[in-house]
Amino acid sequence: MRAIVVGAGIGGLAASLSLRRAGVEVTLVEQTARFTEVGAGIQLAPNATRELRRLNVLAAVAAQAARPAHVSFRTWSDGSEICRYALGREAEDEFGAPYLVVHRADLHRALAAAVPPESVRLDTVVVGIDQDDDCAHVTTASGERLTADLVVAADGIRSAARQWLFGEDEVVFSGTAAYRALLPSAEVTDLDLPPLAVWLGPDRHFVHYWVRRGELLNVVAVFSTEEAAQESWTAQAEPGEQLREFADWDPRVLSVLERAGRVHRYGIHTRTPLKRWSQGRVTLLGDSAHAMVPFQAQGAAQAILDAAVLGDALTDATPADVPDALDRYVRRRLAGATSMQARSARAGSEFHLPDGPEAEARNARMAAYAAEHRFMPQATAWRAKALDD
């Protein structure tokens, strides 16, 4: 069995490892000349780390991660705690895998290191995908035509493969944008920040947590905006822009934003949910299938789950079985990923409620839930194993 995976982001790398684990010969095609992964912090709930363990990369990821003991939800104006939920050892004991926060580049590096170099074709731009009854084909910009039994398109939120399969379908601006920054721990130790916190305010929320074994503080400051913002991991904010957006917030929030050196600004985009991801011998995976806003911290986790289920579906399959195996993969993953897209969007709306009765009712609901449960409401998604999804 031979597969071509298009795209060497987190989803594509995880898919390559999962398919190899299933006995499939994999060629991973990536348009960049070398492995690179921009971005900053990323949260990995137990549903993701459980599958990283199956791929034999969890130890490498955990060695570069931080393990917050809890997550604290706070009020924007004075930092008073609304509620907190357990993570750390309690979550690992409950769900069978740890809750980790890592630098995205560290996760990407661990996944890339596990893929044999001979399986990777860098500096290769895909300009077309087609198929017949027996094979799927990838055409490169150089005119080369690669052939395999299936093609997995993990080519990101602006997936060309998605358009080739299902027609024109543009990305959707979410109405939110974010500032992000990384600060050395020495620059913020005097602020006595919780290890992982989400500050909620009108039309905004602010998230921070430690990455790289606590050496860096990852900061994400999200705000609502009607002006479509550029989708870019590298675009920089204007000097002081983030302070104007978060004026009057708790002094600790402002101190973090003021001390941040290089601040990036990016627009948050999504994709409209699809009713199917596969067509014959070609399928989508990760953001190409179900890009979502990050307000449940599940984007990467859902791509990793896709990869796990894809590998399971193709285990012991023959080339003739590929279309049916891809249908099984989609049946097992589409509903869960689509539900998480919707839950993430709802969380953003809840986080940004205006001061007054609505926010007070939200805070009361959160506090009441936390008083009865150790873990966040979305922890139900952490329990699902790929084999049972």
Side-chain angles (χ1 to χ4, degrees):
M1 180 80 78
R2 298 169 299 157
I4 297 170
V5 176
V6 180
I10 289 169
L13 289 168
S16 297
L17 294 175
S18 184
L19 289 170
R20 284 176 52 81
R21 186 175 182 272
V24 179
E25 179 184 324
V26 178
T27 299
L28 176 59
V29 177
E30 167 57 34
Q31 64 180 348
T32 60
R34 59 188 180 88
F35 277 136
T36 58
E37 182 64 22
V38 295
I42 189 169
Q43 299 183 51
L44 295 172
N47 57 348
T49 57
R50 187 183 299 116
E51 302 310 326
L52 293 178
R53 180 186 291 138
R54 291 177 70 202
L55 298 178
N56 295 318
V57 296
L58 178 58
V61 175
Q64 300 297 320
R67 302 186 183 218
H70 61 267
V71 55
S72 173
F73 285 84
R74 298 186 171 233
T75 302
W76 70 278
S77 55
D78 61 5
S80 57
E81 189 169 72
I82 299 167
C83 65
R84 67 170 57 186
Y85 298 105
L87 298 175
R89 178 58 63 183
E90 287 187 74
E92 185 166 4
D93 291 344
E94 180 73 17
F95 301 104
Y99 195 107
L100 303 178
V101 288
V102 301
H103 195 296
R104 182 180 289 266
D106 293 336
L107 170 61
H108 190 269
R109 190 176 300 112
L111 290 167
V115 177
E118 61 270 21
S119 298
V120 181
R121 293 187 50 145
L122 298 174
D123 200 18
T124 303
V125 177
V126 174
V127 296
I129 296 174
D130 63 281
Q131 60 183 307
D132 52 42
D133 289 342
D134 299 319
C135 297
H137 312 279
V138 166
T139 302
T140 72
S142 66
E144 189 176 7
R145 188 169 166 85
L146 309 178
T147 298
D149 299 301
L150 70 147
V151 172
V152 180
D155 52 342
I157 188 171
R158 294 190 179 274
S159 169
R162 178 173 169 138
Q163 293 196 15
W164 297 331
L165 287 177
F166 303 116
E168 292 293 326
D169 176 20
E170 297 299 324
V171 298
V172 179
F173 178 55
S174 68
T176 57
Y179 302 107
R180 65 176 179 85
L182 288 164
L183 290 81
S185 59
E187 295 185 9
V188 291
T189 51
D190 62 306
L191 299 178
D192 193 27
L193 298 170
L196 169 54
V198 184
W199 306 60
L200 309 181
D203 293 322
R204 289 160 180 76
H205 71 279
F206 181 80
V207 183
H208 61 75
Y209 50 84
W210 302 105
V211 297
R212 203 158 280 168
R213 304 174 304 278
E215 297 172 7
L216 296 172
L217 183 71
N218 182 71
V219 174
V220 183
V222 182
F223 60 99
S224 299
T225 175
E226 295 181 359
E227 180 182 350
Q230 179 184 6
E231 180 207 341
S232 170
W233 284 104
T234 57
Q236 292 192 33
E238 295 294 328
E241 180 183 346
Q242 73 277 12
L243 295 175
R244 294 190 293 273
E245 283 287 350
F246 285 80
D248 301 326
W249 276 54
D250 183 280
R252 284 167 291 181
V253 171
L254 292 175
S255 292
V256 171
L257 292 174
E258 187 174 24
R259 297 175 191 183
R262 178 179 297 176
V263 177
H264 295 279
R265 184 185 193 273
Y266 66 98
I268 299 173
H269 293 72
T270 65
R271 296 304 296 253
T272 303
L274 291 170
K275 294 182 179 179
R276 57 180 179 145
W277 300 344
S278 295
Q279 191 174 101
R281 295 176 174 273
V282 183
T283 195
L284 304 177
L285 182 144
D287 280 353
S288 66
H290 49 68
M292 62 191 71
V293 294
F295 307 144
Q296 294 278 277
Q298 275 286 304
Q302 294 299 305
I304 292 167
L305 283 175
D306 289 350
V309 173
L310 179 66
D312 294 338
L314 284 159
T315 298
D316 298 327
T318 68
D321 297 331
V322 165
D324 288 340
L326 294 184
D327 284 344
R328 289 196 300 274
Y329 152 66
V330 175
R331 284 198 303 270
R332 289 170 58 187
R333 283 296 303 138
L334 189 145
T338 302
S339 173
M340 187 56 69
Q341 281 182 292
R343 290 171 66 175
S344 296
R346 287 196 301 271
S349 298
E350 283 278 294
F351 288 174
H352 290 192
L353 289 174
D355 279 344
E358 289 181 285
E360 291 168 5
R362 175 203 62 203
N363 295 351
R365 288 194 304 271
M366 294 177 68
Y369 187 92
E372 295 185 20
H373 304 83
R374 288 180 295 166
F375 307 107
M376 289 185 281
Q378 62 262 42
T380 54
W382 304 351
R383 197 178 300 280
K385 298 180 181 179
L387 288 171
D388 304 324
D389 205 353

